[in-house]
Amino acid sequence: MPASYDAIVIGGGHNGLVCAAYLARAGKRVVVLERRDEVGGAAVSEEVFPGFTFSTYSYVVSLLRPEIIRDLDLPRHGLHILPLESTLTPLANGDYLAQWSDHDQNHRELARHSARDAEALEEFGRLMHQMARAVKPLLGMVPPDPASLAPRDLLGLMRVARHVRGLGPGAFHALCKLMTMSAADYLDEWFETDALKATKSASGIIGTLLGPRSPGTAYVLLHHYMGEIDGVFRAWGFAKGGNGSVSAAIAGAARALGAEIRTGAPVARVLVGNGRATGVALESGEEIAAQCVVSGVDPRRTFIELVGAEHLPSEFVEAIRRFKFRGSSGKVNLALGALPDFTCLPGAGPHLRGAISISPSVDYLERAYDEAKYGECSRRPYLDIVIPSMIDPAMAPPGRHVMSIFVQYAPYAVNGGWTEARRAAFGDAVIDTLAEYAPNIRSAILHRQVITPADIERTLGLSEGNIFQGELTLQQMFFLRPAPAWAKYQTPIHALWQCGAGTHPGGGVMGASGRNAALTMLGSAR
Amino acid sequence: MSEPVVIIGSGVNELVCAHRLARAGRRVLVIAAREPRDGSLLEPGWIPPAIVRDFSLDRHGLTIHRPDPWATVALPGGGALELSSDMERSVTAIRRLSPRDAERWPAFCERMARLARLLEAVYAAAPPDPLGRAPRDVLQLAAIALRARRLGRQGVEDLLRLLPISAADLLDDWFETDALKGALGAAGILHLARGPRSGGTAFNLLHHHVGSPPGVFRPPRSNVRHVLAGLPGIELRRGAEVARIGVRDGRATSVVLASGEEIAAAHVASGADPLRTLTVLADPKWLDPDLARALRHVRSRGVVARVSLMLERPAGPRALVVAPSLDDLEHAYDDAKYGRVSQHPYLEAVSAADGAAGSGRVDVHVQCAPYALAQGAWDDGRRLELGNLTVKMLSRHFPDFEAAVVTRVLSPRELEVEYGWPEGQACHAELALDQALWMRPVPALARYRTPIRGLYLCGAGMHPGAGVAGAAGAHAAQEILRDGDRT
C-alpha cells in the first residue's frame, strides 16, 4: 500500500487541526480524520434546539495561543472574539460581589467588601502577571526528559533551571508556592473576602477531581492571567458564533494551507508494522497509509485502544493506565424565553453580559467536592454561567436567550453509574441551585440539555469525560504529561506522534499541544 | 569568651544544637522551660547516624524501640494484619488478604526505600538553596541532582511523580486491600491537617519512612532526649521560662526570664516555633512587613490529641493501628476541616516500652481532633468523651482494652501549653510541600538565621522538621559556627 500522505492526524479537535495546519504550512500532505460529522471536538457550536445555538461543551476562549492566531491568520478565517467583561458572584446574604474589567469600577466594588482586599488585589495582580510572564516560555517548550543523559535533554533541563533561577527570589518562591499549595491556602495569604477567594479558586478546580483546599490547585490561578498578558484580547471572551467558530477558523486555515479534512471517518486502529506506524484503519474497513500518524485523541484511547498494549513496552502501558482522567464536570445548556432575574442585582444589567459564578464561599466549593470524592454529585454545585446571546444575538431567536452552565462536581465514577434518572437529578440540582439566586429561572426555561461526564466520553471520545484529556495536576504536567520519557510528543512507536491536550501543556482550547507537536515533528523531519 | 550561647528550649533539636556548639568550644546555657510531666514518654523520630556517632549516644544509654510488627492493623471483620520488618512475614500476612498485594509488597518497599535514602541525604544538611550562587550552594545542588540521577530512570520518575501526589493516588496504584492502604495512608497524614486524597501526603508518607528499613513505615521511638540531657558539657537551667529576647541595634544580646533575670548572650538559638520566637519572644518590629505576613501564614494546625490509657496487664510492645481504609481517614479529615472532632478517628496505640516497663501504659495518637472547634471548646467533657471513644474503638478490635482506664487526654490545646507546640502542632509548621526544604518554614528563614543578627531558629519548624530527631538543631549549630563571631 503506497503512502499517499505524509501525515494522518487522528481527531479533528482544535489541537489536531492546529497540528495539521502547521504541517500543511510546511508543505506536508496531511489528512485529518474526524469521527463525528463536524470538526472541533469539544469546541463546537450546535443548534441543539431549533433557533438556539450553543457552544455545547467548551464555551469561552482565553488561552488560545496568540502565535497560533497570528501564524494561521485566524481572523481572516472568521475568528472574532467578543470580550467577556465581568464576573458576578451572588452571595448567600442577598448581596453580590462583582468583578469588572474596568479597573476603577472593580476597585470600588471590591472595596465595598474590603478596603484591604482592594489594595491587595493590585499587588496580587502585579505578582500574577509577573508569574504568568515567567511561566509562559515553558508552555511553548518541548519538555526535556529529566531521567535522560542525552546532551539535548541535559541542555533542556539546564535551560529550564536557568530560566527558573533567573526569576529572582520573589518570583521564584511565589512560583514554588503556586505549584505546591491549594488555591484556598494561597488566596488566604492575600484576601479576606470569602466570595472573592471562592470565585478565584474555582478556576483551580475546573476539570479536576480536587477541592479548593487540595494542594496543587493554586497553579491554575495563573492561567487566568496568562490570557491577559498576551494583549490580543482580554482575559476571557466568546468566539462570535460560538466555540465552533474557533474550530472552523482553524479548519479553514488548514484547508487553505492544503490539508484535507475528512469527517464521519472514525479510526478503528493505528496500523503498526515492525514497531513503526504505517497508517490507520477506519471503522469502515478502509486503510490509509502515511509516513507518520499523529494522534489528537487522549493517551488512553491512543495507546490502549487504537494502538493496543501488545505493541507497547509494559512499563509505558502501566504509566498510561495510571494516567488520571476522573472527569468531574458536566454542562447544562438552557434555551430561555426570558433573562434570569438575580435577586441580588435585579433586571437586565451589564452583569448579564459577563460570567455569573455560583461560588459564594470557599466552604461551599469544598462541600461540593466532599460529595464528589465519595462518588456523589454535588447537591449544591459550583456553576459558571454565561449567556452568549447577550453579546452575540445570533445565537438565539429575537428576545430569547441561550444560557451555558458549566457544572462541577459531577464525578464520572458516580455511585451506581450514570443512568437517565441520575442525569435528570443532576440537571435538577443545577436548576435548583440557580433558582436560589434567580427564582424566575424555572419559568424562563424553554428547553434544557444536560451533559454528564459519561455523555462527554460517549459523544466526544474523551476518556472518563475529562475535558483536559487527563487531569491537569502537578504529577501530570510538563515532563510527566502523559508519561515520563514520552512527554515530547513522540511515542514508543516510531512515526506515531501525539498532539492532543493529553500532552504538555494541556487543555483549555490553547492549541499549544498541536503547535508544539507539529514543530517537533518538523524539527526532527529536517 | 564570657557570654554563653543561650538555647531556648530543651527538646532534642535544642539539645543537639547545644552539644554541637559545646563541642566546638562554646559556652552553652540551655533554658529548659518546662519538662513534660510524663517523662517516660519516648521521643518519636529517626536519629541520623551522624548524631548518634558524634555524641556516642549508644555508649550513653541510647535505646531505640521498634515494635515488630511495626503495625498491628485492626481488620474490620476481626483479626489483624501484622506488618513486620521481616519482608517474608509481611508478605505472608498480606497474602491472606490479597495475593496480588502480597506480590507487590516487596517491590513497593524497595522503591520507597530508595527514595527515602535520597531524602536522608538531603536531610543531612541545611536545606539546598535553588537560587544560591555561592560555591557551597551550587555544590550542594549538584550533589543532590547527581544522587537523584543515580536512582536511575525508574527512580527519577518515581521521585517526580511521588512528590506532588496524594497518598491515596500512590497507594491505589499499588494495592487493593483497604486495611493495608489505611495503615500506610495514615503515615501520609500523620500530624497533617489533610486527608489521604490531598496532594503532598505521599511526600509525608516518605518523610516518615526516612531512616527506617525497607517495609517499615513508622519512625522508631527512643530515649534520645533523656540521654542528651544527661551528657556533660552544657549548662542546663531547669524550670526557667524565657519571657523575651533582648535585642540591641538589631542584634540579639540577651535573654530575659519570666523572673525578670536577664542573661547576656553571645548568640541565641530558639527551639520555639518561628512565629513565637520572632513575634512574641523578640520584638516584632524587627520584621519587615513581607516577612511578618509570611510568618503569620505559616500553617500549624494541630489535629492530633493524645490519650493515655492504663491496661490491667501490660501487653508488651505493640503498635496497634485503627485506620480501616483511605475513605475512613478522609472522613476523619473532613470533620477536622470543618472544626469537628471526628467520631471515627485514626488511632495508633503504642505501649510504653521500658522506662515504664510493666506499667501497662498505652499512649494513643488520635487524629483528627482539631485545635480550633467550630462549636464549643476543648473542655473536660470533650476530653472525657474523646478518651471514652478511644477505649471503645480499641476494645472493639483488641479485647484487652475493654478494661482500660483513661488516665489522661491531651487535646491540641493542652499539647500547645504542655509542649509549646503552636496550635498543638508537633511539627510547628505542618510538613506540607510549600513548607518543606528551602521553604521551611518560610524561604527567608530557611537557613536558620533571622533578621535579628545573632538570633537563630533550631526547632521542629525548621528543615528537615519533626520526625528527624535533632537534625534541625545540628544544622542550626552548623550555621551558628559558620557565622562565627562575625554577627
Side-chain angles (χ1 to χ4, degrees), chain B residues 274-280 282-284 287 295 445 450-452 455 457:
Chain B
L275 183 66
R276 180 176 157 78
T277 303
L278 290 170
T279 64
V280 178
D283 189 328
L287 299 182
L295 258 182
L445 300 174
T450 68
I452 300 169
L455 174 61
L457 296 164

Side-chain angles (χ1 to χ4, degrees), chain A residues 145-146 148-149 165 169 176 180-181 185 189 213 215 322 324 326 366-367 370 373-374 475 484-485, chain B residues 130-133 149 153 157 160-161 165 169 173 194 199 297 299 330-331 334 337-338 434 438-439 443:
Chain A
D145 176 0
S148 155
L149 289 171
R165 278 167 64 103
C176 290
T180 51
M181 288 179 80
D185 283 340
E189 296 195 0
R213 293 191 201 284
R322 71 181 181 198
K324 301 276 187 288
R326 295 192 280 216
E366 187 69 22
R367 282 179 212 280
D370 287 345
K373 69 183 173 187
Y374 304 115
Q475 64 269 30
Chain B
L131 297 179
R133 304 210 179 260
R149 296 187 73 99
R153 171 167 288 282
E157 291 175 6
L160 290 173
R161 203 180 124 71
I165 69 174
D169 279 351
D173 277 348
R194 295 263 181 244
H297 286 119
R299 295 186 310 286
E330 189 70 32
H331 278 297
D334 287 346
K337 199 160 66 177
Y338 302 112
D434 61 299
W438 60 85
M439 307 215 281

Side-chain angles (χ1 to χ4, degrees), chain A residues 209-233:
Chain A
L209 193 58
L210 291 174
R213 293 191 201 284
S214 310
T217 51
Y219 168 75
V220 188
L221 292 172
L222 260 189
H223 271 210
H224 265 252
Y225 290 82
M226 216 79 89
E228 280 185 32
I229 54 172
D230 295 328
V232 176
F233 42 81

Side-chain angles (χ1 to χ4, degrees), chain A residues 457-516:
Chain A
E457 179 179 61
R458 195 174 48 247
T459 314
L460 302 180
L462 290 166
S463 293
E464 296 186 24
N466 185 286
I467 58 173
F468 295 143
Q469 288 200 353
E471 283 186 318
L472 262 181
T473 46
L474 208 50
Q475 64 269 30
Q476 301 196 156
M477 280 201 313
F478 204 52
F479 36 51
L480 300 173
R481 192 169 185 85
W486 299 106
K488 291 191 277 194
Y489 312 102
Q490 283 142 322
T491 71
I493 307 275
H494 192 63
L496 175 66
W497 300 77
Q498 33 181 355
C499 71
T503 62
H504 171 76
V509 200
M510 197 167 354
S513 292
R515 180 176 184 268
N516 287 359

Side-chain angles (χ1 to χ4, degrees), chain B residues 18-342:
Chain B
H19 282 295
R20 273 277 162 89
L21 293 171
R23 289 290 167 95
R26 308 300 160 103
R27 191 156 82 80
V28 181
L29 172 64
V30 176
I31 312 285
R34 52 198 130 202
E35 294 286 301
R37 268 202 278 159
D38 37 9
S40 73
L41 208 65
L42 296 173
E43 198 76 30
W46 168 59
I47 314 163
I51 292 176
V52 177
R53 205 171 47 234
D54 282 7
F55 304 117
S56 312
L57 292 181
D58 19 13
R59 272 204 289 113
H60 290 93
L62 178 72
T63 41
I64 296 177
H65 300 269
R66 283 190 180 281
D68 202 9
W70 57 266
T72 302
V73 188
L75 296 173
L81 165 68
E82 293 194 338
L83 297 170
S84 318
S85 64
D86 183 278
M87 196 68 73
E88 270 314 305
R89 278 178 59 195
S90 292
V91 168
T92 310
I94 296 169
R95 189 172 293 128
R96 274 182 227 119
L97 303 172
S98 158
R100 179 173 163 270
D101 286 359
E103 199 179 313
R104 289 174 162 219
W105 178 252
F108 173 78
C109 296
E110 190 262 329
R111 278 162 76 168
M112 290 298 281
R114 266 177 31 211
L115 300 185
R117 298 296 94 83
L118 174 72
L119 217 49
E120 280 159 28
V122 174
Y123 287 175
D129 176 6
L131 297 179
R133 304 210 179 260
R136 168 193 172 209
D137 295 318
V138 176
L139 273 175
Q140 189 186 6
L141 284 173
I144 294 172
L146 207 67
R147 244 195 121 98
R149 296 187 73 99
R150 278 217 306 269
L151 293 171
R153 171 167 288 282
Q154 190 186 58
V156 171
E157 291 175 6
D158 279 352
L159 181 69
L160 290 173
R161 203 180 124 71
L162 179 130
L163 288 178
I165 69 174
S166 70
D169 279 351
L170 173 75
L171 297 168
D172 283 340
D173 277 348
W174 283 93
F175 304 117
E176 59 184 14
T177 308
D178 279 339
L180 180 60
K181 291 193 279 188
L184 294 171
I189 62 164
L190 204 62
H191 290 297
L192 209 51
R194 295 263 181 244
R197 289 183 206 284
S198 303
T201 47
F203 173 73
N204 199 48
L205 167 61
L206 184 64
H207 175 85
H208 289 293
H209 178 40
V210 156
S212 291
V216 178
F217 292 91
R218 290 294 188 280
R221 288 161 185 271
S222 70
N223 61 348
V224 60
R225 206 184 76 85
H226 182 75
V227 173
L228 285 167
L231 284 185
I234 55 170
E235 189 184 336
L236 224 104
R237 178 84 76 90
R238 292 182 203 270
E241 180 102 36
V242 174
R244 65 187 178 84
I245 297 165
V247 181
R248 206 181 309 131
D249 300 330
R251 192 179 197 302
T253 52
S254 68
V255 161
V256 181
L257 301 184
S259 63
E261 180 188 350
E262 183 163 3
I263 302 167
H267 300 288
V268 178
S270 168
D273 70 273
L275 183 66
R276 180 176 157 78
T277 303
L278 290 170
T279 64
V280 178
L281 299 181
D283 189 328
K285 75 176 180 194
W286 297 104
L287 299 182
D288 72 55
D290 281 346
L291 180 55
R293 187 173 74 172
L295 258 182
R296 267 202 320 278
H297 286 119
V298 170
R299 295 186 310 286
S300 49
R301 299 166 294 186
V303 284
V304 177
R306 185 186 291 159
V307 175
S308 298
L309 306 175
M310 195 61 79
L311 296 181
E312 276 183 314
R313 272 186 308 278
R318 295 186 296 179
L320 310 177
V321 177
V322 182
S325 71
L326 292 172
D327 268 358
D328 281 276
L329 297 175
E330 189 70 32
H331 278 297
Y333 162 59
D334 287 346
D335 286 323
K337 199 160 66 177
Y338 302 112
R340 300 185 298 256
V341 179
S342 174

